[in-house]
Amino acid sequence: MTSSEDLYAISADWLRSLEVASSTGDSKSFVSHFLSDGWLRDLLCFSWDFRTLSGSEKIHGFLSEVVNGKPRLEHSGLRDFKIDDHTANAPSPFKLPGPQDIEGVQGAFTFTIAKPAALGRGFFRLTQDANGKWKALTLFTNMQDLVGHEESSADQHGLYEDNTWEEDVAAKSRAIEADPTVLIVGGGQAGLTSAARLRRLGIRALVIEKNARVGDSWRQRYPSLKLHTPTYQSSMLYSPYPTNFPNYISKGKLANFIDSYAVNQELCIWHSSSLVSNPVYDSSSARWTVEVQRGDQKVFVNPKYLVLATGSGSPYTPTWNGMDEFQGALYHSDFHKDAEQFRGKRVVVVGAGNAGADICQDFVAHGATEKGKVTMVQRSATCVITSNTAEKTHFKLPLPDSAPIEEVDFHNNSMPLALLLQLNIAGWTQHTKMLDKEFHDGLRKAGFNLTWELSPGSGEVGLDGFLFTRQASGTMIDIGCGKLIIEGKVKIKQGQEISHFDKDGITFKDGSKLSADVIVIATGNEPIMKTARALLGNEITDQLLPQEVMGLDSEGEVNQTYRPSGHPGLWFASGGFVFSRFFSKRLGLQILARELGIARQKGCRCCT
C-alpha cells in the first residue's frame, strides 16, 4: 500500500459503500464500516451539538435515535460523498503511536446534508480488521456551511465604489451599533475571532472591550512574557503572522498585531466598555437587555445572543493566615510588571506552572540572584515538556509546511480527544518523556516533582490531558526556567504545604521558613464560571449546564465552549488560538441556524 492509486482506491471503495448505507438510512450497515472499537466524532451534522461516540453499540444507538419521526441517520440525510483529493488532506498513509503502531489510510471527503440543507466535510482513518477488511478507526463528520448562507471569502468593497473604505466601515458599524444581533463581551483573541467569523457569515456582532485599546490585556502584563506555542500554531483567523515574526511572539508584538487585526477585519468594537449590571433575558422576545458603561456614558443594547469571551478568569489567590502581616511586596503573577525594581532582593514565587516559571526567569534576568535568591515553591507535581520537544511532538504540523492553517486545524480536530488521550497513555507520552529524559533527570535532582497524570493511577495523558481538562494549569512548556532550576539559579521548595505568612516571609507546616522581600503568587486563575456568575448573576448562572466551562464531558468533548450553554441565547467563547480559530465557525453556524429558524432557540443540546 504505497502508491497514491492504492490509497485512493481503498478510500473510494470504503466511502462508496458508506454512502449507500447513509443515503438509505441503514444504521446497522453504516456502523458495520467501523472497527468494533471505532470512533465517530460529529460536529453539527447529526445534531446541533458536538458528539463523540466510541464503539459500535454507542454509534448505532446514537444514529438510531428518533428525530422528528425518523431515525437520526435517515433524518440527517448525509449523501453525495466525494473524496477531497485537491487539498492537503487528500488520501495518505498514517501511523498512530502505541504499544503496536496503528497504520492505515486517512483522508478528507465532502458531502451534503439534507436536514438542514448544508454542506459537510469529513475525515476518515481506515485500518484493516482481523479479516483484512478496511474499517474506520475514526470518522469525523463536520458541518461546513448552510446552503445559501455560505461564509464569504472576501470583503465586497470594490474599486469603483463611490464611498471610501473608511465611510463604508463607519456605515456598517453604525448599523451594528443600532441593532446588534450578537454582543460579545471581551475583545481578546477569542472574542475578536468570533466577531470576525460572524461578520463573514453576515451576522452583526458588537464587541465590548474593557480596555482603552485592543491588546491592552497583553500590553499590561510583565515585559518578558512570550507565547509558549509556536507562531504557526497561534495565528489569527484569516490573518497569518508576517513570515519574519519570531517563532515565539512577545506580548507587545502580539498586542499590536491583534489591535491591527481588529481594524483590518473591520470589527465593531466599543473600547473602555463593560457590563454595568446583570443582563436580563426576555424569553418572549428572545432578546437580552444589557446595560453597558461605554466611557462616561451608560448605553442599553438588546442583542439576541450574548457571547462571553472574557478569558481565563480572574486571578486566583489562595488565602493563608498572616498574609496581611508580610512587610514586603506581595502580589499575584497577573500583576507582575517590573522585576528590575527587585534587583538583589530575596524572591519567592508560589507556583510551578508556566506563569511561575516565566516570572522566576524574569527575576533572574534582572539580578535578583546577585545578592538575594529566587525560590520557586512547588505545591504539587508539574507536567513539564521542553519547547523543543513540544515542537517535535504536540505542535508538529501533521501536513506539509505549505498547507493552509485551516487544513491543519481540520486535520487535528478530526481526531476524537478521548482517543488522543488513550494513545498518549498507551505510549505516546512515554515517547515524549524519553526525548526530555536528561532534562527531566536534572529537574528531579534539583528537587522538582514531575507528573504526567491528572490524578494518581489515572494514566499518563501528558501535556494534552492538562491542556484539554485544565486549560494548561499544572504544566510548564519550558522556555528557559528549567535550565535555571538545574543550574541552581532558581531554588525549589517542594514537598511541604504552606502553614502561614509572617512579616518576614513564609513558614511551612514542617517548621521550615523562606525569608523574602517579595512574594509572587503564581497560582493561576479562577474558573470561568465564577467570572460568569459575577457578570450574569445567580438567576441565569444557575440555569447553565452543571459542568465547568472548558474541561471534557463524558464523551471527551470540551464543556460549554462554543456549544449551547443551557440558557437560550447565551454562549461561551474561550480557549487558545487553535481552539478559537476552528470552533468559531461552529459557533457561527449555530447562531446562524437559529436566525434562520433551522434550529430552535433553546438552551438545551437536544435541538435537532
Side-chain angles (χ1 to χ4, degrees):
M1 192 189 66
T2 56
S3 71
S4 58
E5 292 83 1
D6 289 339
L7 298 174
Y8 188 95
I10 293 166
S11 303
D13 288 346
W14 180 85
L15 197 61
R16 191 180 303 113
S17 179
L18 184 72
E19 183 187 5
V20 172
S22 179
S23 61
T24 58
D26 188 341
S27 57
K28 184 176 180 180
S29 175
F30 191 93
V31 172
S32 73
H33 289 75
F34 289 78
L35 296 172
S36 60
D37 58 350
W39 296 74
L40 170 65
R41 187 181 195 192
D42 176 66
L43 303 183
L44 310 180
C45 296
F46 292 113
S47 76
W48 287 109
D49 194 17
F50 309 157
R51 299 294 303 272
T52 294
L53 294 308
S54 62
S56 300
E57 184 176 346
K58 289 183 179 179
I59 297 172
H60 183 267
F62 173 62
L63 297 177
S64 301
E65 292 171 354
V66 176
V67 179
N68 294 337
K70 294 181 180 180
R72 190 181 296 278
L73 180 65
E74 182 182 351
H75 171 79
S76 299
L78 273 62
R79 50 178 53 87
D80 302 322
F81 293 8
K82 294 182 176 63
I83 291 178
D84 194 356
D85 57 355
H86 299 296
T87 69
N89 280 299
S92 64
F94 78 88
K95 179 184 291 188
L96 297 177
Q100 294 181 333
D101 288 341
I102 304 170
E103 298 184 51
V105 183
Q106 64 181 359
F109 66 103
T110 60
F111 55 90
T112 62
I113 307 170
K115 291 184 180 180
L119 305 176
R121 192 175 184 217
F123 194 91
F124 53 81
R125 292 179 179 85
L126 309 180
T127 65
Q128 290 178 293
D129 66 9
N131 298 317
K133 294 183 178 180
W134 290 98
K135 304 277 187 175
L137 170 66
T138 70
L139 176 64
F140 178 52
T141 49
N142 165 67
M143 184 185 289
Q144 286 287 98
D145 279 299
L146 292 167
V147 173
H149 304 276
E150 291 82 356
E151 179 178 346
S152 63
S153 58
D155 296 318
Q156 301 303 313
H157 191 83
L159 178 63
Y160 300 106
E161 299 285 344
D162 291 332
N163 57 336
T164 66
W165 174 77
E166 290 82 0
E167 290 170 336
D168 187 47
V169 171
K172 291 175 181 176
S173 292
R174 287 193 297 271
I176 292 172
E177 292 172 329
D179 184 22
T181 303
V182 180
L183 178 66
I184 299 174
V185 181
Q189 60 87 14
L192 298 179
T193 297
S194 297
R197 184 75 78 175
L198 290 168
R199 178 177 172 272
R200 294 285 184 97
L201 289 168
I203 298 171
R204 297 187 302 275
L206 170 64
V207 180
I208 60 171
E209 164 57 34
K210 65 181 180 181
N211 292 306
R213 186 180 172 194
V214 168
D216 277 354
S217 58
W218 287 96
R219 292 187 186 91
Q220 293 165 2
R221 299 191 68 188
Y222 51 94
S224 62
L225 176 62
K226 296 179 181 179
L227 292 180
H228 283 235
T229 51
T231 303
Y232 58 82
Q233 282 278 334
S234 307
S235 65
M236 295 289 288
L237 177 68
Y238 308 130
S239 185
Y241 297 118
T243 55
N244 63 345
F245 264 38
N247 201 28
Y248 293 91
I249 304 174
S250 65
K251 58 109 178 184
K253 200 176 203 62
L254 177 64
N256 291 338
F257 185 89
I258 64 175
D259 193 7
S260 66
Y261 177 87
V263 174
N264 293 332
Q265 294 298 322
E266 303 176 11
L267 305 182
C268 184
I269 302 175
W270 287 357
H271 303 90
S272 302
S273 300
S274 57
L275 301 185
V276 175
S277 56
N278 299 148
V280 176
Y281 186 75
D282 182 352
S283 57
S284 61
S285 65
R287 282 186 178 269
W288 294 89
T289 296
V290 185
E291 187 179 9
V292 177
Q293 184 74 46
R294 186 185 184 192
D296 58 1
Q297 293 183 323
K298 285 188 172 64
V299 183
F300 285 91
V301 292
N302 299 104
K304 296 181 181 179
Y305 310 95
L306 185 62
V307 177
L308 296 190
T310 53
S312 55
S314 55
Y316 168 64
T317 302
T319 301
W320 288 285
N321 291 332
M323 292 180 78
D324 56 345
E325 299 176 10
F326 179 60
Q327 294 183 353
L330 173 63
Y331 57 88
H332 189 275
S333 57
D334 274 15
F335 306 109
H336 179 68
K337 296 291 191 296
D338 180 18
E340 178 62 35
Q341 63 180 307
F342 300 111
R343 182 176 289 275
K345 302 296 184 181
R346 297 166 300 174
V347 177
V348 173
V349 176
V350 180
N354 284 320
D358 279 355
I359 289 168
C360 285
Q361 196 171 347
D362 192 33
F363 277 119
V364 171
H366 288 86
T369 56
E370 290 179 4
K371 297 180 181 178
K373 63 178 181 179
V374 178
T375 302
M376 173 187 283
V377 177
Q378 187 186 30
R379 300 163 64 218
S380 58
T382 309
C383 179
V384 179
I385 186 171
T386 63
S387 57
N388 286 337
T389 293
E391 284 192 47
K392 296 173 184 175
T393 55
H394 297 77
F395 303 142
K396 182 180 180 180
L397 290 174
L399 300 172
D401 291 347
S402 59
I405 193 64
E406 293 80 8
E407 290 295 311
V408 174
D409 289 344
F410 176 77
H411 183 104
N412 287 338
N413 281 283
S414 70
M415 172 65 74
L417 300 182
L419 174 58
L420 177 62
L421 299 186
Q422 286 186 15
L423 292 171
N424 285 355
I425 293 172
W428 186 241
T429 298
Q430 189 63 35
H431 169 70
T432 61
K433 286 168 60 177
M434 291 304 297
L435 296 177
D436 279 335
K437 184 180 185 305
E438 183 178 348
F439 177 74
H440 290 154
D441 288 345
L443 289 177
R444 288 192 185 94
K445 188 175 180 181
F448 196 91
N449 195 11
L450 299 170
T451 188
W452 288 266
E453 296 182 327
L454 294 170
S455 60
S458 61
E460 293 187 332
V461 293
L463 180 63
D464 291 322
F466 285 82
L467 292 176
F468 294 137
T469 64
R470 296 186 182 175
Q471 288 188 275
S473 175
T475 67
M476 183 198 299
I477 301 177
D478 183 71
I479 57 173
C481 184
K483 183 172 184 287
L484 299 177
I485 292 171
I486 292 169
E487 293 174 347
K489 295 178 181 178
V490 172
K491 305 295 184 183
I492 298 298
K493 176 66 175 179
Q494 189 273 135
Q496 290 295 325
E497 288 292 325
I498 293 174
S499 171
H500 62 274
F501 284 50
D502 59 26
K503 64 184 181 66
D504 297 318
I506 300 174
T507 298
F508 295 84
K509 290 190 175 180
D510 65 348
S512 60
K513 182 171 180 177
L514 282 176
S515 298
D517 301 302
V518 56
I519 299 174
V520 181
I521 309 298
T523 48
N525 298 85
E526 298 279 7
I528 293 173
M529 196 59 77
K530 187 171 183 178
T531 302
R533 187 172 292 276
L535 293 174
L536 301 173
N538 292 332
E539 182 179 350
I540 290 174
T541 308
D542 288 344
Q543 298 177 49
L544 303 181
L545 296 169
Q547 307 98 328
E548 176 56 50
V549 177
M550 302 298 288
L552 299 183
D553 67 14
S554 60
E555 293 181 349
E557 291 292 340
V558 177
N559 284 326
Q560 305 274 44
T561 312
Y562 301 101
R563 304 170 70 179
S565 65
H567 189 287
L570 178 62
W571 305 83
F572 290 91
S574 189
F577 291 87
V578 175
F579 199 73
S580 299
R581 260 196 328 260
F582 185 79
F583 281 96
S584 61
K585 179 63 174 284
R586 277 77 241 164
L587 172 65
L589 287 171
Q590 291 171 88
I591 290 176
L592 179 59
R594 283 158 174 76
E595 282 295 279
L596 297 172
I598 294 172
R600 295 194 297 270
Q601 173 61 299
K602 293 173 65 177
C604 69
R605 295 178 175 175
C606 58
C607 304
T608 53

